[in-house]
Amino acid sequence: MSARLPAPGTRVVVAMSGGVDSSVVAAIAHWHGCETIGVTLRLSDSEAAPARAGACCAGSDIADARAVADAQGFAHYVLDYASAFKSEVMEAFADSYLEGRTPVPCISCNQTVKFRDLLGVAQDLGAEALLTGHYVQRLDGPAGPELHRAADPSKDQSYFLFATTAPQLARLGFPLGGLDKPTVRLLAEHFGLRVANKPDSQDICFVPNGDYRAVVLKLRPGADRPGDIVDMDGHVLGRHGGLIGFTVGQRRGIEIGGQAEPLYVIRLESEANRLVVGPRAALAVQTVELDPLNWLAGPIPPEGLEVAVKLRSMAPLARALLLGGVTPRLIFPDPQFGVSPGQAAVCYEGERVLGGAFIRAAV
């Protein structure tokens, strides 16, 4: 089962964000008899971080993680990854918006500092596994470890972990994947954790109050360069205050009246600094081109593979044919709306995550 832990006495590293989920994982591992080492990453050097509620990785979270480790009696270390986080996650986030893409920074964070780098730390510490508080399941399949959706659909985080590689998966553990959140909070109370009633993080950790535009402007001054808003035929309808304020499928904020139908953002043309708008019907696409795949299953047949796909973290699953090769793509029998370059397309077979990729273009 997904909650299986290494044998008692085995050294494990637990990625501790300071929240209730990772704290429960650490407490479970310690209670199980593993030689538990908690590691918390300092991802921000902002003075505002310690006081900001509702976001992970803030300064107060470090204190919570340390307090849990001290109370339970296992080792805890804080590693300064602010520079790496800024260059590999925050800077990439800003650049994606400048390129007319809509990034998912939590996926980039998992790809880099949270899995790649933390697995390196775990190896340096002689740990057999890295455990995290993600709601996802690692199950043993015929060909090795598989990534599956969480037992609690409302907490499932598999979309954000599609970029986990097979070698990484072999060394990762997700003890909460088979549990629901009320049970996790009950466990926190059972262990006497001071974070038992701590609210879940809601924001992207470096985007206070959801104002990503302000973050992009701070990282890339001048990113709000005004430009034309045009219709599908290229006729100028008005002006925008910077492409960073828009994403494909958006309706609010266009502020152009007198049209027969409501206008939606159809695409962002970053080189021309143009915002293309049109009716909702113009958003419909049936082919989605992908960046290189991260694939966790068997070979994709030449004729393609029938899969279920999530095109956004909150989107319902949609049927598609996945074609591999140098330029992978998804073909949908039913039109999809609001497909944005930069988001992830994650492929499933039942509850199993087969793999996925970032969206290159929708046609």
Side-chain angles (χ1 to χ4, degrees):
M1 51 188 294
S2 66
R4 185 182 300 143
L5 291 164
T10 302
R11 180 176 293 179
V12 298
V13 166
V14 180
M16 298 185 68
S17 68
V20 63
D21 296 326
S22 58
S23 296
V24 166
V25 168
I28 289 174
H30 180 62
W31 169 84
H32 182 68
C34 293
E35 183 187 347
T36 303
I37 302 172
V39 173
T40 301
L41 302 182
R42 187 189 304 277
L43 301 181
S44 173
D45 53 11
S46 168
E47 294 181 359
R52 184 160 58 83
C56 69
C57 315
S60 59
D61 295 327
I62 295 174
D64 284 338
R66 175 167 287 152
V68 167
D70 288 345
Q72 296 294 311
F74 58 83
H76 177 258
Y77 300 101
V78 178
L79 304 180
D80 188 351
Y81 271 63
S83 177
F85 182 74
K86 182 178 180 182
S87 64
E88 297 200 73
V89 180
M90 296 174 64
E91 301 275 359
F93 173 84
D95 287 341
S96 289
Y97 271 109
L98 294 184
E99 295 166 0
R101 294 163 67 92
T102 303
V104 191
C106 294
I107 295 177
S108 301
C109 185
N110 288 329
Q111 278 183 296
T112 55
V113 295
K114 284 193 177 173
F115 281 177
R116 183 200 64 199
D117 293 347
L118 264 180
L119 278 168
V121 170
Q123 182 173 348
D124 291 342
L125 291 173
E128 183 172 306
L130 171 66
L131 308 181
T132 82
H134 289 100
Y135 285 85
V136 68
Q137 300 190 79
R138 174 194 179 276
L139 302 179
D140 293 328
E146 298 176 354
L147 190 64
H148 286 245
R149 300 175 72 183
D152 182 353
S154 69
K155 297 300 294 181
D156 176 55
Q157 293 174 295
S158 60
Y159 177 87
F160 299 99
L161 299 184
F162 86 86
T164 307
T165 66
Q168 288 174 339
L169 191 59
R171 300 178 58 211
L172 287 165
F174 309 104
L176 306 187
L179 306 178
D180 58 22
K181 191 61 179 241
T183 300
V184 171
R185 290 203 182 275
L186 285 174
L187 285 169
E189 292 177 2
H190 169 76
F191 287 115
L193 306 184
R194 80 178 203 177
V195 296
N197 295 311
K198 186 174 182 177
D200 291 342
S201 59
Q202 300 295 330
D203 298 332
I204 297 171
C205 63
F206 61 92
V207 184
N209 305 314
D211 189 1
Y212 67 87
R213 180 185 173 96
V215 173
V216 175
L217 285 173
K218 183 176 180 180
L219 292 168
R220 299 290 183 268
D224 57 346
R225 183 165 56 97
D228 289 334
I229 301 176
V230 302
D231 63 18
M232 302 289 292
D233 296 319
H235 301 131
V236 176
L237 302 178
R239 298 280 286 174
H240 65 75
L243 291 180
I244 61 171
F246 300 92
T247 188
V248 172
Q250 181 175 328
R251 180 178 172 185
R252 293 184 179 180
I254 298 174
E255 298 179 353
I256 293 175
Q259 303 296 309
E261 299 180 65
L263 294 177
Y264 295 80
V265 175
I266 306 302
R267 64 178 179 273
L268 291 77
E269 298 181 346
S270 57
E271 290 188 6
N273 195 30
R274 296 199 312 176
L275 186 70
V276 181
V277 299
R280 183 176 184 276
L283 287 169
V285 299
Q286 290 185 271
T287 300
V288 174
E289 298 176 353
L290 305 174
D291 288 342
L293 287 166
N294 180 64
W295 199 243
L296 298 171
I300 300 170
E303 67 274 16
L305 181 68
E306 295 283 348
V307 294
V309 182
K310 266 186 177 288
L311 293 171
R312 295 179 304 282
S313 62
M314 301 302 292
L317 290 167
R319 294 181 304 117
L321 178 69
L322 173 66
L323 299 173
V326 178
T327 307
R329 62 190 187 279
L330 290 161
I331 300 174
F332 294 86
D334 301 315
Q336 303 299 304
F337 293 82
V339 181
S340 179
Q343 295 282 290
V346 181
C347 301
Y348 296 83
E349 180 182 59
E351 297 300 303
R352 183 184 179 187
V353 180
L354 300 176
F358 290 108
I359 297 169
R360 181 189 299 271
V363 294

